[in-house]
Amino acid sequence: MDKPVPSQSSNQSTSQSLSRFILLLMTTAIAATAANLYYNQPILPLIGHEFDLTNAQLGSIPALTQFGYAFALLFISPLGDSIARRRLIGILSCLLVAACGFAALSPSLPILLLSVFLIGVSANITQQLIPFAASMVSPENKGATLGTLMMGLTIGILLSRTLSGFVGEQFGWRSVFVMSAVFAAIFGVLLRVFLPTNTPHTTLRYFPLIKSSLSLFVKHKSLQKFTLAGAFWFASFNVLWATLAIYVSDAPFNYNAQQAGLFGVIALAGVIGAKSSGKWVNKLGSKTLVMIALALAATGFAITGLFAGNLLSLIVGIILIDFAVFSAQVANQVRVFSINPAAQSRINGIYMLGYYTGGALGSMAGVKAFALYQWPGVVVVSIAFIIISAIFNAFAKK
């Protein structure tokens, strides 16, 4: 069992309000850090050309990055409950700078693979900042705060490929990792200087801490339902983005890679619009808001399917889908963080591990569905995932 920190040792992070400046700093840091998970994707051809790699070898680069991130969700995220988060974020920032530097100087594929794995691990900064901010606001402000933070996370994900592709094309693939190291150093210093400190909620040692993370998932049935609901709607989201570039590269669109990448900019309209969804959590409740969001996502996919080959319908569908997924995630994390305030890092780590596992499932299912049935197959699989998500949400208590 957790051993709570004595009450006389007050938690500084919760005794002061989250200022607009700190929230802005956290949001931009989350965007800059999350981008590291996707920077290497557009520059894979450049890396492959220099090292003379096969497609399978190239595929191991983004795979190791994502594996590093998943590893950190399970084995690093829980530390936020036992180590002062500002200190932990500082350590991860140093690791990120070093890993990006090693990647930029990599003389061979094995060194590069180790580097991108460590980049994935250190990108756990995002999953330390989100529960940190959640612990610093009142329950009624949690939805709006998480909405802002998740906007930063999603913007970082959506724009990372565009930025990386441009920098890599103009200055070479190694310059992308140099850029990332500079960003990591800047935000590492800013976070160290301006983040408040906090007193950890538990004194558990490392291995009991990790074990307690798994026990929390077993203990809390609500966490299981929230995680599975999120995993399946994120699966539907990844079905879309894993196949979109393939879809628009053929007739009637015939777009090149750069043109296909602009759909990420279009998706920002949905993300920015959904920021206000955090304010609706208190009015409608998380369960109701998630159901509404899932209905919008299904509608977005249906529009792209009913009017297949039409650019306007595709744009409208993407905006609706991104708006819906973003809104659902904000509502879901509000109730996830309410399960046990003393174990927010561990609970968030388990939840996000399930979330990204669902995303990986969706990517694989999407590519397979497109190969067998083209875009109609993508639409059917996506809506099926949304229906499964809605079922888990329906059985959730709130």
Side-chain angles (χ1 to χ4, degrees):
M1 296 180 63
D2 285 6
K3 298 176 182 178
V5 174
S7 59
Q8 63 264 31
S9 191
S10 64
N11 188 328
Q12 289 178 297
S13 71
T14 56
S15 64
Q16 59 185 48
S17 61
L18 182 63
S19 68
R20 290 185 178 181
F21 171 74
I22 296 297
L23 180 59
L24 176 62
L25 174 59
M26 286 181 160
T27 303
T28 52
I30 286 171
T33 304
N36 285 279
L37 298 172
Y38 306 95
Y39 276 150
N40 58 47
Q41 294 180 4
I43 59 176
L44 290 177
L46 300 175
I47 297 173
H49 178 73
E50 178 172 333
F51 289 144
D52 192 23
L53 303 177
T54 65
N55 288 336
Q57 290 174 317
L58 277 180
S60 65
I61 296 173
L64 261 290
T65 308
Q66 297 295 330
F67 183 73
Y69 192 65
F71 174 89
L73 285 171
L74 188 58
F75 296 107
I76 303 296
S77 285
L79 290 172
D81 288 331
S82 64
I83 299 176
R85 288 193 177 107
R86 186 176 71 169
R87 178 187 173 197
L88 181 56
I89 290 168
I91 294 171
L92 290 172
S93 296
C94 292
L95 177 61
L96 181 55
V97 172
C100 292
F102 285 133
L105 299 173
S106 295
S108 62
L109 179 62
I111 300 299
L112 180 59
L113 290 178
L114 175 61
S115 300
V116 297
F117 174 82
L118 293 176
I119 287 173
V121 170
S122 50
N124 187 254
I125 292 169
T126 61
Q127 300 306 326
Q128 297 299 333
L129 287 170
I130 292 172
F132 194 8
S135 71
M136 296 171 65
V137 295
S138 60
E140 58 269 19
N141 292 324
K142 208 174 290 290
T145 299
L146 288 173
T148 300
L149 296 173
M150 294 307 298
M151 181 181 69
L153 178 67
T154 312
I155 288 175
I157 292 172
L158 291 175
L159 294 186
S160 58
R161 298 176 181 89
T162 303
L163 178 60
S164 173
F166 174 79
V167 172
E169 191 67 32
Q170 298 298 319
F171 306 104
W173 67 267
R174 295 179 187 274
S175 63
V176 173
F177 293 108
V178 172
M179 172 191 70
S180 179
V182 171
F183 284 158
I186 292 173
F187 280 105
V189 171
L190 290 174
L191 292 171
R192 178 65 183 178
V193 171
F194 292 107
L195 280 185
T197 189
N198 71 293
T199 302
H201 289 288
T202 180
T203 58
L204 283 174
R205 294 186 179 275
Y206 181 72
F207 288 108
L209 187 72
I210 301 302
K211 183 179 179 181
S212 72
S213 298
L214 301 176
S215 66
L216 285 167
F217 184 76
V218 174
K219 174 183 177 182
H220 295 288
K221 301 299 182 183
S222 58
L223 177 59
Q224 297 172 21
K225 295 182 178 71
F226 300 159
T227 300
L228 288 168
F232 279 102
W233 80 56
F234 196 53
S236 72
F237 178 81
N238 279 271
V239 168
L240 167 71
W241 288 101
T243 57
L244 182 63
I246 305 173
Y247 175 48
V248 300
S249 66
D250 292 330
F253 302 104
N254 298 311
Y255 293 153
N256 58 33
Q258 184 174 354
Q259 290 170 322
L262 293 177
F263 281 99
V265 179
I266 293 171
L268 286 177
V271 173
I272 294 172
K275 180 183 179 299
S276 61
S277 65
K279 300 177 182 178
W280 288 95
V281 175
N282 295 329
K283 297 179 180 179
L284 299 176
S286 293
K287 184 175 181 177
T288 301
L289 186 56
V290 167
M291 280 300 191
I292 293 172
L294 293 178
L296 284 175
T299 301
F301 279 112
I303 289 173
T304 68
L306 291 173
F307 302 97
N310 181 276
L311 178 60
L312 180 60
S313 70
L314 187 58
I315 291 174
V316 171
I318 288 173
I319 291 175
L320 282 176
I321 293 164
D322 278 76
F323 179 95
V325 170
F326 182 91
S327 299
Q329 173 67 341
V330 171
N332 213 28
Q333 284 203 294
V334 167
R335 55 187 181 178
V336 165
F337 284 132
S338 69
I339 293 173
N340 185 348
Q344 286 187 340
S345 288
R346 282 167 286 171
I347 287 176
N348 183 63
I350 291 293
Y351 169 70
M352 293 306 299
L353 180 62
Y355 198 71
Y356 279 95
T357 299
L361 170 66
S363 296
M364 292 186 292
V367 172
K368 185 70 173 179
F370 189 86
L372 293 175
Y373 304 107
Q374 299 298 301
W375 192 252
V378 168
V379 173
V380 170
V381 169
S382 297
I383 293 178
F385 281 144
I386 289 173
I387 292 173
I388 296 172
S389 176
I391 292 172
F392 282 112
N393 184 64
F395 284 101
K397 290 184 178 180
K398 56 181 179 178

